[in-house]
Amino acid sequence: MRFLYIATGSQATVYGAAPLAAAVQNAGHEILMAGNEPLMRFAEAIEVPAVSVMPEPIRHFMKNGDSGNAPSPFRDLREEESLIFGRAFARMASAELDALLDLVEARPPDLVVGGSMSYAAGLLASRIKVPYVRHAEYLQIPMAEIDPIAEEGLRPDLERLGLAALPDPDLFIDVSPPSLRPAGAPDAQPMRWIPRNPQRRLQPWMYTRPEGRPRVLITSGTHFRMLPADSMRHLVDRLTRTGAEVLIAAPDRAAEELGGDLGDVRVGWIPLDVVAPTCDLMVHHAGAATAMTVMTAGVPQLIVPPNFHTKAIAQALTDFGAALTVTPEREGTDQDLVEAMAAGCREILSTPAYAQRAQALAEEITTLPTPAEVVRTLETLAAP
């Protein structure tokens, strides 16, 4: 069988799709991922066959006017973010639809899978009359709020295709552990989330725990820089004074900004899937792939979320007892934020209940069907 996966958004959507794509291949089927050009290098890095159907990134389709007076496409307010994302992903779906139609004419699929915000997937599947699967790649995506906005933005395309509304999926796959699914969430096929990220040759410190001291891993952030370089140094200082070993996962540019004056702190590329299980605490901004990786490792989290979606992730984990949330806008200056983060880290490291709840969540994730098991459901759905 041939499966077409349509990815949108950031590299997190590619990483979230990768385990299912690999399971499709391992079951003997063909998989092709379609996305915009910026996603291609991430698909290549994790060896998913991929084709670019448009050059523009998702930010190209985000317009400041979508949220009234908002100066940025990433506002903190729930309604504004729903408007921005709904309209942006609708524009993106409209822009890529013709290219996708050309693609399936050359390579017709038996089933189309779309990420949670891949609205073109449903339109395409409806047009070529094959089953459509919607895949929520990670936790707490507010689809119920964004879908109506996207539907309105896609009204001309819906009319062109003879559709009155966005097509309902024939199957909805959700990787959220049951304890964290929001009230009123639609019925779904659960699936275990499996970390997937680019790899390099490992070093022993990456897969072994330090002796006699806790390990804290901080992510600097890719789209959102969690702290300026000076503030990050202050946070590291606060943590190392408590005896913790500190690691900082950072892209090359951020690693250069932090410089080499952090003592024995390791800064740079760190394989989160390998290192997370050796940690006692992860500090990050609730990037979707990061949060899910930490959840599967059973590690408590200190989260500094910059927008509504990341706040939803942080709130779910905090309510469960597996995390603490520090919101930047409530802390005032960067120095105040650093002090609040350091205090939160000390609380988590000194309170076993956080680790216990994090481990309970990880154990729940292991009970969910694997991607390989879900592929059998897709085979049945696509069978003639």
Side-chain angles (χ1 to χ4, degrees), residues 239-281:
L239 295 175
T240 54
R241 286 184 187 182
T242 68
E245 179 194 44
V246 178
L247 311 175
I248 303 177
D252 292 343
R253 187 172 181 180
E256 291 174 3
E257 290 176 5
L258 288 168
D261 56 351
L262 292 175
D264 64 351
V265 175
R266 301 181 192 274
V267 184
W269 177 81
I270 292 177
L272 294 187
D273 58 330
V274 174
V275 177
T278 73
C279 295
D280 300 281
L281 170 63

Side-chain angles (χ1 to χ4, degrees), residues 7-367:
T8 57
S10 71
Q11 65 263 37
T13 62
V14 175
Y15 298 156
L20 183 60
V24 166
Q25 290 176 307
N26 291 340
H29 306 296
E30 296 179 35
I31 183 76
L32 182 65
M33 178 178 288
N36 57 0
E37 184 62 31
L39 297 185
M40 293 299 102
R41 64 188 180 97
F42 301 108
E44 292 168 3
I46 54 177
E47 300 182 343
V48 175
V51 59
S52 174
V53 293
M54 64 188 310
E56 297 87 357
I58 181 59
R59 285 179 178 270
H60 172 80
F61 300 97
M62 293 181 170
K63 312 295 184 184
N64 286 346
D66 286 343
S67 57
N69 297 320
S72 162
F74 292 106
R75 289 280 289 182
D76 182 48
L77 302 179
R78 181 176 189 142
E79 182 178 353
E80 289 181 347
E81 287 196 3
S82 295
L83 280 169
I84 291 167
F85 282 107
R87 291 173 178 173
F89 281 105
R91 292 187 189 106
M92 188 173 191
S94 183
E96 67 184 344
L97 185 56
D98 286 341
L100 288 168
L101 287 168
D102 289 341
L103 174 64
V104 298
E105 184 175 350
R107 185 188 182 278
D110 298 292
L111 179 143
V112 175
V113 186
S116 53
M117 298 293 108
S118 300
Y119 293 106
L123 302 184
L124 181 68
S126 178
R127 174 64 178 269
I128 63 176
K129 302 187 185 318
V130 298
Y132 160 48
V133 176
R134 192 175 196 182
H135 176 204
E137 311 99 318
Y138 36 76
L139 182 67
Q140 296 287 318
I141 300 169
M143 295 182 299
E145 299 175 28
I146 296 175
D147 285 354
I149 298 166
E151 181 175 282
E152 187 59 32
L154 285 165
R155 185 62 56 196
D157 295 283
L158 293 171
E159 292 175 355
R160 176 163 65 99
L161 296 172
L163 300 172
L166 289 174
D168 291 325
D170 296 285
L171 181 70
F172 174 46
I173 300 173
D174 190 358
V175 297
S176 301
S179 293
L180 299 188
R181 293 198 85 212
D187 292 340
Q189 164 66 59
M191 187 175 78
R192 188 185 309 178
W193 198 88
I194 297 174
R196 186 76 179 271
N197 47 253
Q199 295 292 344
R200 302 178 189 172
R201 182 178 301 182
L202 300 180
Q203 300 177 32
W205 64 265
M206 295 177 176
Y207 52 82
T208 56
R209 283 181 175 272
E211 293 186 9
R213 59 195 302 211
R215 171 176 277 185
V216 179
L217 174 55
I218 305 171
T219 64
S220 71
T222 302
H223 295 297
F224 300 97
R225 192 64 56 84
M226 188 164 58
L227 288 171
D230 287 344
S231 297
M232 182 68 81
R233 294 188 189 98
H234 290 316
L235 177 61
V236 170
D237 179 65
R238 300 294 187 277
L239 295 175
T240 54
R241 286 184 187 182
T242 68
E245 179 194 44
V246 178
L247 311 175
I248 303 177
D252 292 343
R253 187 172 181 180
E256 291 174 3
E257 290 176 5
L258 288 168
D261 56 351
L262 292 175
D264 64 351
V265 175
R266 301 181 192 274
V267 184
W269 177 81
I270 292 177
L272 294 187
D273 58 330
V274 174
V275 177
T278 73
C279 295
D280 300 281
L281 170 63
M282 289 276 288
V283 181
H284 60 93
H285 68 286
T290 300
M292 294 296 296
T293 298
V294 182
M295 285 165 54
T296 62
V299 176
Q301 311 178 41
L302 181 90
I303 305 176
V304 187
N307 59 26
F308 166 64
H309 179 212
T310 54
K311 283 184 178 178
I313 293 173
Q315 191 63 53
L317 287 164
T318 297
D319 289 346
F320 190 79
L324 277 178
T325 299
V326 177
T327 49
E329 64 271 18
R330 294 182 182 176
E331 300 303 333
T333 67
D334 285 343
Q335 183 60 35
D336 293 333
L337 177 59
V338 167
E339 295 301 334
M341 292 172 68
C345 289
R346 290 193 295 270
E347 178 179 341
I348 291 174
L349 291 173
S350 63
T351 309
Y354 289 102
Q356 292 166 2
R357 294 298 284 167
Q359 188 59 45
L361 194 59
E363 291 172 0
E364 183 176 302
I365 291 171
T366 65
T367 68

